[in-house]
Coordinates of all heavy atoms in Angstrom, one line a residue:
P1370 N 103.0 -126.2 -79.2 CA 103.0 -127.5 -78.4 C 104.1 -128.4 -78.9 O 104.4 -128.5 -80.1 CB 101.6 -128.1 -78.7 CG 101.3 -127.5 -80.0 CD 101.9 -126.1 -80.1
P1371 N 104.8 -129.1 -77.9 CA 105.8 -130.0 -78.3 C 105.4 -131.2 -79.0 O 106.1 -131.9 -79.8 CB 106.5 -130.4 -76.9 CG 105.8 -129.7 -75.9 CD 104.7 -128.9 -76.5
E1372 N 104.1 -131.6 -78.8 CA 103.6 -132.9 -79.4 C 102.1 -132.6 -80.0 O 101.3 -132.0 -79.4 CB 103.5 -134.0 -78.4 CG 104.8 -134.6 -78.1 CD 104.6 -135.9 -77.3 OE1 104.1 -135.7 -76.1 OE2 105.0 -136.9 -77.7
L1373 N 101.9 -133.2 -81.2 CA 100.6 -133.3 -81.8 C 100.4 -134.6 -82.3 O 101.4 -135.3 -82.9 CB 100.5 -132.2 -82.9 CG 100.8 -130.8 -82.6 CD1 101.0 -130.0 -83.9 CD2 99.5 -130.2 -81.9
F1374 N 99.2 -135.2 -82.2 CA 98.9 -136.5 -82.8 C 97.5 -136.5 -83.3 O 96.6 -135.9 -82.7 CB 99.0 -137.6 -81.7 CG 98.7 -138.9 -82.1 CD1 99.6 -139.7 -82.9 CD2 97.5 -139.5 -81.9 CE1 99.3 -140.9 -83.4 CE2 97.2 -140.8 -82.4 CZ 98.1 -141.5 -83.1
S1375 N 97.2 -137.2 -84.4 CA 95.9 -137.3 -84.9 C 95.7 -138.6 -85.6 O 96.7 -139.2 -86.1 CB 95.5 -136.2 -85.9 OG 96.2 -136.3 -87.0
A1376 N 94.5 -139.1 -85.5 CA 94.2 -140.4 -86.2 C 92.7 -140.3 -86.7 O 91.9 -139.6 -86.1 CB 94.3 -141.6 -85.2
A1377 N 92.5 -140.9 -87.8 CA 91.2 -140.9 -88.4 C 90.9 -142.2 -89.1 O 91.8 -142.9 -89.6 CB 91.1 -139.7 -89.5
L1378 N 89.6 -142.6 -89.1 CA 89.2 -143.8 -89.8 C 87.9 -143.4 -90.4 O 87.0 -142.9 -89.8 CB 89.0 -144.9 -88.7 CG 88.5 -146.3 -89.3 CD1 89.5 -146.9 -90.2 CD2 88.2 -147.2 -88.1
A1379 N 87.7 -143.8 -91.7 CA 86.5 -143.6 -92.5 C 86.1 -144.8 -93.3 O 86.9 -145.6 -93.7 CB 86.6 -142.3 -93.4
W1380 N 84.8 -145.0 -93.4 CA 84.2 -146.1 -94.2 C 83.2 -145.6 -95.1 O 82.3 -144.8 -94.6 CB 83.7 -147.2 -93.3 CG 83.0 -148.3 -94.1 CD1 83.6 -149.3 -94.8 CD2 81.6 -148.4 -94.2 NE1 82.6 -150.0 -95.3 CE2 81.3 -149.5 -95.0 CE3 80.5 -147.7 -93.7 CZ2 80.1 -150.0 -95.3 CZ3 79.2 -148.1 -94.0 CH2 79.0 -149.2 -94.8
Q1381 N 83.0 -146.0 -96.3 CA 81.9 -145.5 -97.2 C 81.6 -146.7 -98.2 O 82.5 -147.4 -98.7 CB 82.4 -144.3 -97.9 CG 81.4 -143.8 -98.9 CD 81.8 -142.5 -99.5 OE1 82.5 -141.6 -98.9 NE2 81.4 -142.2 -100.8
N1382 N 80.3 -146.8 -98.4 CA 79.9 -147.7 -99.5 C 79.0 -147.0 -100.4 O 78.9 -145.7 -100.3 CB 79.3 -149.0 -98.9 CG 77.9 -148.8 -98.3 OD1 77.3 -147.8 -98.4 ND2 77.5 -149.9 -97.6
E1383 N 78.2 -147.6 -101.2 CA 77.3 -147.0 -102.2 C 76.2 -146.1 -101.5 O 75.8 -145.1 -102.1 CB 76.7 -148.1 -103.0 CG 75.9 -147.5 -104.1 CD 75.2 -148.7 -105.0 OE1 75.6 -149.8 -104.8 OE2 74.4 -148.3 -105.9
F1384 N 75.8 -146.4 -100.3 CA 74.7 -145.7 -99.7 C 75.1 -145.0 -98.3 O 74.4 -144.1 -98.0 CB 73.5 -146.7 -99.5 CG 73.0 -147.3 -100.7 CD1 73.3 -148.6 -100.9 CD2 72.3 -146.6 -101.7 CE1 72.9 -149.2 -102.1 CE2 71.9 -147.2 -102.8 CZ 72.2 -148.5 -103.0
F1385 N 76.0 -145.5 -97.6 CA 76.3 -145.1 -96.2 C 77.8 -144.7 -96.1 O 78.7 -145.1 -96.8 CB 75.9 -146.1 -95.2 CG 74.5 -146.5 -95.3 CD1 74.1 -147.7 -95.9 CD2 73.5 -145.7 -94.7 CE1 72.7 -148.1 -95.9 CE2 72.2 -146.1 -94.8 CZ 71.8 -147.2 -95.4
S1386 N 78.0 -143.8 -95.1 CA 79.4 -143.5 -94.7 C 79.4 -143.2 -93.2 O 78.5 -142.9 -92.6 CB 79.9 -142.2 -95.4 OG 79.1 -141.1 -95.1
T1387 N 80.6 -143.5 -92.6 CA 80.8 -143.1 -91.2 C 82.3 -142.8 -91.1 O 83.1 -143.2 -91.9 CB 80.5 -144.3 -90.3 OG1 80.5 -143.9 -88.9 CG2 81.4 -145.5 -90.6
A1388 N 82.6 -141.9 -90.1 CA 83.9 -141.5 -89.9 C 84.2 -141.2 -88.4 O 83.2 -140.8 -87.7 CB 84.2 -140.3 -90.7
A1389 N 85.4 -141.3 -87.9 CA 85.8 -141.0 -86.6 C 87.2 -140.3 -86.7 O 88.0 -140.8 -87.5 CB 85.8 -142.2 -85.7
Q1390 N 87.4 -139.3 -85.9 CA 88.7 -138.6 -85.9 C 89.0 -138.2 -84.5 O 88.1 -137.8 -83.7 CB 88.6 -137.3 -86.8 CG 89.9 -136.7 -87.0 CD 90.1 -135.5 -86.1 OE1 89.3 -135.0 -85.5 NE2 91.4 -135.1 -86.0
W1391 N 90.3 -138.4 -84.1 CA 90.8 -138.1 -82.8 C 92.0 -137.3 -82.9 O 92.9 -137.6 -83.7 CB 91.0 -139.3 -81.9 CG 91.5 -139.1 -80.6 CD1 90.8 -138.6 -79.5 CD2 92.9 -139.1 -80.1 NE1 91.6 -138.5 -78.4 CE2 92.9 -138.8 -78.7 CE3 94.0 -139.5 -80.8 CZ2 94.1 -138.8 -78.0 CZ3 95.2 -139.5 -80.0 CH2 95.2 -139.1 -78.6
S1392 N 92.2 -136.2 -82.1 CA 93.4 -135.4 -82.1 C 93.8 -135.0 -80.7 O 93.0 -134.9 -79.8 CB 93.2 -134.1 -83.0 OG 92.3 -133.3 -82.4
Y1393 N 95.1 -134.9 -80.5 CA 95.8 -134.6 -79.3 C 96.7 -133.4 -79.5 O 97.5 -133.4 -80.4 CB 96.5 -135.8 -78.7 CG 97.3 -135.4 -77.5 CD1 96.7 -135.3 -76.2 CD2 98.7 -135.3 -77.7 CE1 97.6 -135.0 -75.2 CE2 99.5 -135.0 -76.6 CZ 99.0 -134.9 -75.3 OH 99.7 -134.6 -74.2
T1394 N 96.6 -132.4 -78.6 CA 97.6 -131.3 -78.6 C 98.1 -131.2 -77.1 O 97.4 -131.2 -76.2 CB 96.8 -130.0 -78.9 OG1 96.2 -130.1 -80.2 CG2 97.8 -128.8 -78.9
S1395 N 99.5 -131.3 -77.0 CA 100.1 -131.3 -75.7 C 100.1 -130.0 -75.1 O 99.6 -129.0 -75.7 CB 101.5 -131.9 -75.9 OG 102.3 -130.9 -76.5
F1396 N 100.7 -129.9 -73.9 CA 100.7 -128.6 -73.2 C 101.4 -127.5 -74.1 O 102.2 -127.9 -75.0 CB 101.5 -128.8 -71.9 CG 102.9 -129.0 -72.0 CD1 103.8 -127.9 -72.0 CD2 103.5 -130.3 -72.2 CE1 105.2 -128.0 -72.2 CE2 104.9 -130.4 -72.4 CZ 105.7 -129.3 -72.4
R1397 N 101.3 -126.3 -73.7 CA 102.0 -125.2 -74.3 C 101.9 -124.0 -73.4 O 101.0 -124.0 -72.4 CB 101.5 -124.9 -75.7 CG 100.0 -124.5 -75.8 CD 99.2 -125.5 -76.5 NE 97.8 -125.1 -76.5 CZ 97.0 -125.5 -75.6 NH1 97.3 -126.3 -74.6 NH2 95.7 -125.1 -75.7
Y1398 N 102.7 -123.0 -73.6 CA 102.7 -121.9 -72.7 C 102.0 -120.7 -73.4 O 102.1 -120.5 -74.6 CB 104.2 -121.5 -72.4 CG 104.9 -122.5 -71.6 CD1 105.7 -123.5 -72.2 CD2 104.7 -122.6 -70.2 CE1 106.4 -124.5 -71.5 CE2 105.4 -123.6 -69.5 CZ 106.2 -124.5 -70.2 OH 106.8 -125.5 -69.4
A1399 N 101.3 -119.9 -72.6 CA 100.7 -118.7 -73.1 C 101.5 -117.4 -73.1 O 101.1 -116.5 -73.7 CB 99.3 -118.5 -72.4
Q1400 N 102.6 -117.4 -72.4 CA 103.4 -116.3 -72.3 C 104.9 -116.7 -72.6 O 105.2 -117.8 -72.4 CB 103.4 -115.7 -70.9 CG 102.0 -115.2 -70.5 CD 101.7 -113.9 -71.2 OE1 102.6 -113.1 -71.6 NE2 100.4 -113.6 -71.4
P1401 N 105.7 -115.7 -73.0 CA 107.2 -116.0 -73.1 C 107.8 -116.4 -71.8 O 107.3 -115.9 -70.7 CB 107.7 -114.7 -73.7 CG 106.6 -113.9 -74.1 CD 105.4 -114.4 -73.3
G1402 N 108.8 -117.1 -71.8 CA 109.6 -117.5 -70.6 C 109.2 -118.8 -70.0 O 109.8 -119.3 -69.1
A1403 N 108.2 -119.5 -70.6 CA 107.9 -120.9 -70.2 C 107.7 -121.0 -68.7 O 108.0 -122.0 -68.1 CB 108.8 -121.9 -70.7
E1404 N 107.0 -120.0 -68.1 CA 106.6 -120.1 -66.7 C 105.5 -121.0 -66.4 O 104.5 -121.0 -67.2 CB 106.4 -118.7 -66.1 CG 107.6 -117.8 -66.2 CD 107.2 -116.4 -65.5 OE1 106.2 -116.3 -64.8 OE2 108.0 -115.5 -65.9
F1405 N 105.5 -121.8 -65.3 CA 104.5 -122.6 -65.0 C 103.1 -122.0 -64.9 O 102.1 -122.6 -65.3 CB 104.7 -123.3 -63.6 CG 103.7 -124.4 -63.3 CD1 103.7 -125.6 -63.8 CD2 102.8 -124.0 -62.3 CE1 102.6 -126.5 -63.5 CE2 101.8 -124.9 -61.9 CZ 101.7 -126.2 -62.5
T1406 N 103.0 -120.7 -64.5 CA 101.8 -120.0 -64.4 C 101.1 -119.7 -65.7 O 99.9 -119.4 -65.7 CB 102.0 -118.7 -63.6 OG1 103.0 -117.9 -64.3 CG2 102.4 -118.9 -62.2
S1407 N 101.8 -119.8 -66.8 CA 101.2 -119.6 -68.1 C 100.9 -120.9 -68.9 O 100.7 -120.9 -70.1 CB 102.1 -118.7 -68.9 OG 103.3 -119.3 -69.4
L1408 N 101.1 -122.0 -68.2 CA 101.0 -123.4 -68.8 C 99.5 -123.6 -69.2 O 98.6 -123.4 -68.4 CB 101.5 -124.4 -67.8 CG 101.6 -125.8 -68.4 CD1 102.7 -125.8 -69.5 CD2 102.0 -126.8 -67.3
L1409 N 99.2 -124.0 -70.4 CA 97.9 -124.4 -70.9 C 97.9 -125.9 -70.9 O 98.9 -126.5 -71.5 CB 97.6 -123.8 -72.2 CG 97.4 -122.3 -72.3 CD1 97.3 -121.9 -73.7 CD2 96.3 -121.9 -71.4
R1410 N 96.9 -126.6 -70.4 CA 96.9 -128.0 -70.3 C 96.7 -128.7 -71.7 O 96.0 -128.0 -72.6 CB 95.8 -128.4 -69.3 CG 94.4 -128.2 -69.7 CD 93.4 -128.7 -68.7 NE 92.0 -128.6 -69.2 CZ 91.4 -129.4 -70.0 NH1 92.0 -130.5 -70.4 NH2 90.2 -129.2 -70.3
P1411 N 97.1 -129.9 -71.8 CA 96.8 -130.6 -73.1 C 95.4 -130.9 -73.2 O 94.6 -130.8 -72.3 CB 97.6 -131.9 -72.9 CG 98.2 -131.9 -71.6 CD 97.8 -130.7 -70.9
F1412 N 95.0 -131.1 -74.5 CA 93.6 -131.5 -74.7 C 93.5 -132.5 -75.9 O 94.4 -132.5 -76.7 CB 92.7 -130.3 -75.0 CG 93.1 -129.5 -76.2 CD1 92.5 -129.8 -77.4 CD2 94.0 -128.4 -76.1 CE1 92.8 -129.0 -78.6 CE2 94.3 -127.7 -77.3 CZ 93.7 -128.0 -78.4

């Protein structure tokens, strides 16, 4: 993929914790030649 992005946030105290994480992977091709028919969508 030409682009990757991730972000995370976590909080913790003596008794509790919480976390959130988000990641993005851009399009990429499943076959050599970069043909549109082998394009995998970003997620």
Side-chain angles (χ1 to χ4, degrees):
E1372 287 187 295
L1373 300 163
F1374 180 78
S1375 68
L1378 180 64
W1380 171 80
Q1381 180 175 325
N1382 71 10
E1383 186 179 352
F1384 303 107
F1385 301 101
S1386 63
T1387 187
Q1390 188 264 341
W1391 178 79
S1392 65
Y1393 168 80
T1394 301
S1395 70
F1396 73 90
R1397 60 249 178 266
Y1398 296 95
Q1400 296 287 334
E1404 293 180 22
F1405 181 76
T1406 57
S1407 74
L1408 191 65
L1409 295 173
R1410 68 179 185 83
F1412 64 90

